[in-house]
Amino acid sequence: KNDYREMLDLVPDVDAVVLTFIETGARVERQHSTRLLTEEAKLAHLVDQVADVVNEERGLGLYLRTFGYFPQEMERTIKAIDLVENPAAKVMIKAMPHDFFLTHPVDTTVTRIKRPVLVEYDTTGEYHGQGKIANALVEDHVGRMRYYQKQPNVIGYVARTDRYKESRIVGTPTEINLYALARADRDRRVRPGALHREWAARTYGPKAAARVGSALAKSPEIVSSVMYMLGTNNANHSRLDYDPYCNSYDRSISGKWIDPPHTFVRHTVNKRYHFWTGVIEHLAPGYCKTSAVMQRENPHVIANGWLTGANTMNLGYLRDVLKEKRYGVSVARSALRDIQRAERDLSPAHHRQLTAYFERTLLTARLHLSVSAAYFGYRVWVRGPEHRTPQLGRLIWAGLDAAKATADAMRAHPDQGATGEWEWIRDAAEADKYHTRISQGWDRYDHIAVPRPADPER
């Protein structure tokens, strides 16, 4: 209790405290107690001690944030909230279970919470570009809000507006997400499709509204085909990182929260996949499928034998990945054309801002396409001599060469975006790493290198 008194003394202007149940330095539920015999009882006891200081002594608000990595963890948190005795504590949930992924469903645990609830939205796009590329995800935000507006215990919402340093979205095209939430909160009849043009008219002028609105409206298709891969997110907090970042394959899987765990992928692929036996089995490196996180957070996947521990990437999945990435490039290119056609109707400052925003978007899409070809092609190549065809070698090197050209274009771009958790320009250096690993031999894959063909396709 004294820890909280001392901390609150340092921030006298706050009016509430939010307690998160995981990602903490010490996990109270793992500590021994002869009186508190369950994890949820320990958590509830701790909350009541904090509430004594925050609510009773200081008269501040207290919100219990239900964030958890997997269903059993969420279940424990809901049970703990039920045991909290302090009546003043409220709850804050994310708009989707676990984390902010477009392919996650809404968080239906809200119906079981017997306290007032705030819903947390990520308008910045932690996994979707963080305001540096097109991530006007109006339909997703409004669609989720419509669900929560029907819940009698939901009292309001909160929205993230930055991801560290200078990454705030206010004053950028991504601010449309904040506008969409505000409009949907005030008017339950507003249609998401109308908000792109409405906001563009208010921000950039009525003459430019149609084309700017059209470009922004393409954000979901761009994000879901560039920063997602066959229905699962493949961006490490927006960063290019297919390997060795295992969370894309063992933690951040929408199949955890969907039963049955199936996804249908459009984006010219037009196929239905099982999240585990299909998408993760083929896209994930072998070591990610047997990780400690996989075993702890997805025990049913292990029990059902849905994954092997091997690298099973094949040409069929490689073709589907590249179809989707090419689609993302085509939509990003179309959005940039919208802005180019709106030039005469925009102020010079607005035209520069929007052009840089959508140029970064297109370069990001191109980089993901080229690195996907190189990396996932390499994953097929290392499976054995029978897979090392001249055609595959040319595809891999075409990807490496295209990635280098795109990385060079990124470094030369006059506007590389704000600083923050995701530094856009650093993806160019990530692409360089794949070039070195694949051309010289990656230790993770037995130092197997792909020799440059005599006449690679470009």
Coordinates of all heavy atoms in Angstrom, one line a residue, residues 47 125 398:
V47 N -5.8 -6.6 -5.7 CA -6.6 -5.5 -6.2 C -7.2 -4.8 -5.0 O -7.3 -3.5 -5.0 CB -7.6 -6.0 -7.2 CG1 -8.6 -4.9 -7.5 CG2 -7.0 -6.5 -8.5
G125 N -2.6 2.0 -34.3 CA -2.2 0.8 -35.1 C -0.9 0.2 -34.7 O 0.1 0.2 -35.4
A398 N 15.4 -12.8 -57.3 CA 14.6 -11.7 -57.7 C 14.0 -10.9 -56.5 O 14.0 -9.7 -56.5 CB 13.4 -12.2 -58.6

